[in-house]
Amino acid sequence: MKLAPQITKFYVLYLLMAGILLSSCDFTQKEIISDSNIRTIELEPETPDVPTLELNATREELSQYDCDLNWILFDYNSDLLSNTAKLELEKVALIIDQNSNFKARIRAFTDSKGRREYNEKLSARRANQAKQYLISEGISVRNISIDSYADSKPIALNTEDDTGRRYNRRIELFVLDNLNNTVCRSHPPEIPKSLKVEVQ
């Protein structure tokens, strides 16, 4: 029996498409039946070995990796949270949401410009902005503690320009367990060696 030209084209196209789809996938072969006349093979797709991050874990388990937290930096004389800052706080909220015995600790700082009294208030405002954002993300106020240090603990030189002092306008984030042990802490940006100072 002779196939119509349209059916023949369709059949050839179908075979080509099936071959492309099969060649683009990773399969393992599993032989089902084997004798002198019949050999049937079942194709099983291979699942990639992707590591998963389990947040609902003990402090010891969490200490084997960091929580991917980073410092929050501020513009001069500002307590406004950038979108990047909010993303860091959302990470903290996610960790605490999945581990009900964990708590957040927020430590806020300023650079050395301005009077000490003003910088104390500014660092407190920065800490409270972060605290309020965590509360808006569903974290209980009981699970958040804050400290404000003004300019008393510089991490970099308070240079005349902003190259060093910008690192001191920061919030450091910590996740604590129910015994106040540090589960993880935020990482600083890469500070040039010539600008680093010893933490007091």
Side-chain angles (χ1 to χ4, degrees), residues 21 31 50 61 85 95 99 115 139 149 156 158 170 191 198:
L21 285 171
E31 191 170 307
V50 179
E61 290 168 335
I95 294 167
N99 298 273
R115 297 191 311 275
I139 303 306
Y149 294 93
N158 279 297
R170 70 193 190 275
I191 303 171
E198 291 291 330

Side-chain angles (χ1 to χ4, degrees), residues 11-27 43:
Y11 186 65
V12 171
L13 181 61
Y14 173 78
L15 290 175
L16 283 172
M17 291 298 294
I20 291 169
L21 285 171
L22 286 172
S23 64
S24 65
C25 300
D26 291 327
F27 291 96
L43 296 177

Side-chain angles (χ1 to χ4, degrees), residues 100-137:
S100 58
N101 61 326
F102 286 176
K103 298 173 285 188
R105 184 181 181 196
I106 299 164
R107 301 173 67 192
F109 307 82
T110 68
D111 63 26
S112 63
K113 275 193 172 183
R115 297 191 311 275
R116 179 61 189 264
E117 296 80 9
Y118 180 81
N119 284 337
E120 286 173 353
K121 293 176 182 176
L122 178 58
S123 62
R125 291 205 314 269
R126 286 172 176 167
N128 275 300
Q129 286 281 10
K131 177 181 178 179
Q132 292 304 316
Y133 194 82
L134 286 179
I135 292 170
S136 74
E137 288 292 302

Side-chain angles (χ1 to χ4, degrees), residues 70-74 80-82 84-86 88-89 130 169-173 186-187:
N70 300 290
W71 282 6
I72 291 172
L73 299 181
F74 290 87
L80 295 179
L81 297 172
S82 66
T84 302
K86 291 175 181 177
E88 297 302 324
L89 292 166
R169 301 191 299 265
R170 70 193 190 275
I171 276 179
E172 297 176 9
L173 298 168
S186 55
H187 298 294

Side-chain angles (χ1 to χ4, degrees), residues 30-198:
K30 181 180 177 184
E31 191 170 307
I32 307 300
I33 303 170
S34 180
D35 63 28
S36 58
N37 298 315
I38 301 172
R39 185 166 182 261
T40 303
I41 293 174
E42 183 181 86
L43 296 177
E44 296 180 340
E46 290 183 349
T47 55
D49 186 18
V50 179
T52 57
L53 181 65
E54 179 57 65
L55 288 175
N56 191 13
T58 64
R59 181 169 65 90
E60 289 74 17
E61 290 168 335
L62 279 167
S63 67
Q64 294 174 18
Y65 61 84
D66 64 53
C67 299
D68 192 29
L69 297 176
N70 300 290
W71 282 6
I72 291 172
L73 299 181
F74 290 87
D75 290 335
Y76 173 67
N77 196 29
S78 173
D79 61 2
L80 295 179
L81 297 172
S82 66
N83 288 334
T84 302
K86 291 175 181 177
L87 285 174
E88 297 302 324
L89 292 166
E90 286 165 14
K91 292 178 196 174
V92 174
L94 176 64
I95 294 167
I96 295 173
D97 184 58
Q98 296 190 15
N99 298 273
S100 58
N101 61 326
F102 286 176
K103 298 173 285 188
R105 184 181 181 196
I106 299 164
R107 301 173 67 192
F109 307 82
T110 68
D111 63 26
S112 63
K113 275 193 172 183
R115 297 191 311 275
R116 179 61 189 264
E117 296 80 9
Y118 180 81
N119 284 337
E120 286 173 353
K121 293 176 182 176
L122 178 58
S123 62
R125 291 205 314 269
R126 286 172 176 167
N128 275 300
Q129 286 281 10
K131 177 181 178 179
Q132 292 304 316
Y133 194 82
L134 286 179
I135 292 170
S136 74
E137 288 292 302
I139 303 306
S140 169
V141 67
R142 296 190 304 271
N143 290 337
I144 306 168
S145 62
I146 62 173
D147 297 296
S148 51
Y149 294 93
D151 58 345
S152 64
K153 294 180 182 290
I155 197 75
L157 294 174
N158 279 297
T159 52
E160 284 302 315
D161 61 12
D162 215 38
T163 55
R165 68 173 65 252
R166 68 191 186 94
Y167 298 109
N168 296 325
R169 301 191 299 265
R170 70 193 190 275
I171 276 179
E172 297 176 9
L173 298 168
F174 299 79
V175 176
L176 310 176
D177 66 12
N178 60 339
L179 298 176
N180 289 326
N181 297 307
T182 300
V183 172
C184 60
R185 63 186 300 166
S186 55
H187 298 294
E190 191 164 339
I191 303 171
K193 189 179 286 188
S194 60
L195 295 173
K196 282 184 180 179
V197 298
E198 291 291 330

